[in-house]
Amino acid sequence: MFYEIVGKISIALVFIFLILILISLLLGVILIKKHRFILPKLLLFVMGNFQTQVKKIAGAFGLGERIVDQTCIEVRNHLNVESFARVQAKDRILVVPQCLRNVKCPARLDSKTGIACRECGMCIIKDIKAEVERLGYGFYIVPGGRFVERIVKAVRPKAALGVACCKDLNAAMHEISRTKCVVLGVPLIHEGCVQTKVNLIELFKKMKLGVEDTAANVEKICADANIRAS
Ligand code: SF4
């Protein structure tokens, strides 16, 4: 009798778990396709904590694993945007991946602070760095996700804005969310190992959250940067 009850409870829990995953996937699809946030905290709880299982089921339904990373990033951005805007720029850091660099980048890697851009102008990072310095952010060009976690632990910023491919960005945002640091992310629009691309307008808009600046200024900086990048 005891084992029968335990068996029935276990089957019911597995069933509920599967239903939750399916509902989360449905909400994820609605979010990505229609940009509508329905039950965002539940969505993040399920997708954030059971990523392996959700990704397997997403794959079985032909949705691809990427939808899980995209959904988690979007939901975290949605939930954290106001808290991020309340943090002063001097207490924020921006972390970008080394793959944004030009393949001929002359900068060297420092084991503690990442890659030190020499502002040669061969890639978009020169423009990002100029804007970061103008606003007062801390700035790091990093070779990988583990490096980001080390920097957050060492610098202890109140807020962090990260740029990376969907998978790495979601993983880093998940880890940073365990600390007191408020995290936002901007996924790369062109992923890969070298010369990747980020949407500068989206990045600069997020950098300027809560910081007084005009929209015209954002567009001018982006226009100048795009010209230099081409
Ligand atoms: S601008 Fe900076 S990061 Fe980009 S290629 Fe030059 S030194 Fe490297």
Side-chain angles (χ1 to χ4, degrees), residues 2 8 27 62 79 99 111 131 137 145 176 183 218:
F2 172 76
K8 281 183 179 167
L27 296 181
L79 294 175
C99 57
S111 60
E131 190 57 3
Y137 274 62
I176 293 170
V183 63
V218 175

Side-chain angles (χ1 to χ4, degrees), residues 101-102 105-107 117-126 141:
R101 296 183 300 160
N102 186 286
C105 174
C117 171
R118 290 166 61 178
E119 300 175 31
C120 75
M122 284 195 290
C123 82
I124 209 75
I125 289 178
K126 180 174 185 273
I141 307 163

Side-chain angles (χ1 to χ4, degrees), residues 167-209:
K167 191 174 175 190
D168 288 358
L169 184 60
N170 180 29
M173 289 175 82
H174 184 75
E175 281 308 313
I176 293 170
S177 294
R178 295 175 195 268
T179 70
K180 287 184 180 163
C181 178
V182 183
V183 63
L184 288 190
V186 180
L188 293 168
I189 49 174
H190 173 68
E191 297 185 355
C193 297
V194 289
Q195 291 191 217
T196 54
K197 285 191 178 151
V198 63
N199 182 332
L200 269 191
I201 294 177
E202 190 187 347
L203 176 61
F204 285 170
K205 275 186 180 163
K206 282 200 167 64
M207 282 167 67
K208 287 165 189 292
L209 280 168

Side-chain angles (χ1 to χ4, degrees), residues 32 51 55 65-74 97 163-174 185-192 197:
I32 300 300
Q51 280 190 39
K55 281 183 176 177
E65 294 186 356
R66 188 182 165 87
I67 193 170
V68 179
D69 296 316
Q70 277 181 307
T71 303
C72 289
I73 293 165
E74 291 277 338
V163 177
C165 65
C166 257
K167 191 174 175 190
D168 288 358
L169 184 60
N170 180 29
M173 289 175 82
H174 184 75
V186 180
L188 293 168
I189 49 174
H190 173 68
E191 297 185 355
K197 285 191 178 151

Side-chain angles (χ1 to χ4, degrees), residues 18-159:
L18 281 174
I19 296 285
L20 270 178
I21 288 181
L22 290 174
I23 290 172
S24 300
L25 278 173
L26 177 65
L27 296 181
V29 171
I30 292 171
L31 194 162
I32 300 300
K33 302 261 184 222
K34 312 233 180 225
H35 210 68
R36 285 184 59 200
F37 292 89
I38 303 169
L39 302 173
K41 287 187 179 167
L42 172 74
L43 191 51
L44 189 57
F45 175 78
V46 177
M47 285 204 177
N49 291 297
F50 303 101
Q51 280 190 39
T52 310
Q53 295 86 342
V54 183
K55 281 183 176 177
K56 274 190 183 153
I57 293 176
F61 278 91
L63 293 170
E65 294 186 356
R66 188 182 165 87
I67 193 170
V68 179
D69 296 316
Q70 277 181 307
T71 303
C72 289
I73 293 165
E74 291 277 338
V75 173
R76 272 191 220 283
N77 282 345
H78 175 72
L79 294 175
N80 291 348
V81 67
E82 285 181 14
S83 304
F84 185 92
R86 282 197 290 270
V87 176
Q88 291 185 4
K90 70 177 176 58
D91 295 320
R92 304 177 189 174
I93 62 167
L94 172 67
V95 183
V96 302
Q98 67 163 349
C99 57
L100 273 178
R101 296 183 300 160
N102 186 286
V103 285
K104 292 181 184 160
C105 174
R108 297 250 176 261
L109 173 69
D110 179 283
S111 60
K112 287 201 178 115
T113 55
I115 288 147
C117 171
R118 290 166 61 178
E119 300 175 31
C120 75
M122 284 195 290
C123 82
I124 209 75
I125 289 178
K126 180 174 185 273
D127 302 286
I128 296 174
K129 187 167 182 268
E131 190 57 3
V132 147
E133 286 171 355
R134 195 182 70 79
L135 291 172
Y137 274 62
F139 183 49
Y140 300 91
I141 307 163
V142 298
R146 291 273 160 241
F147 212 101
V148 180
E149 289 163 37
R150 260 176 30 214
I151 284 170
V152 169
K153 270 186 196 150
V155 177
R156 295 187 181 275
K158 290 185 182 163

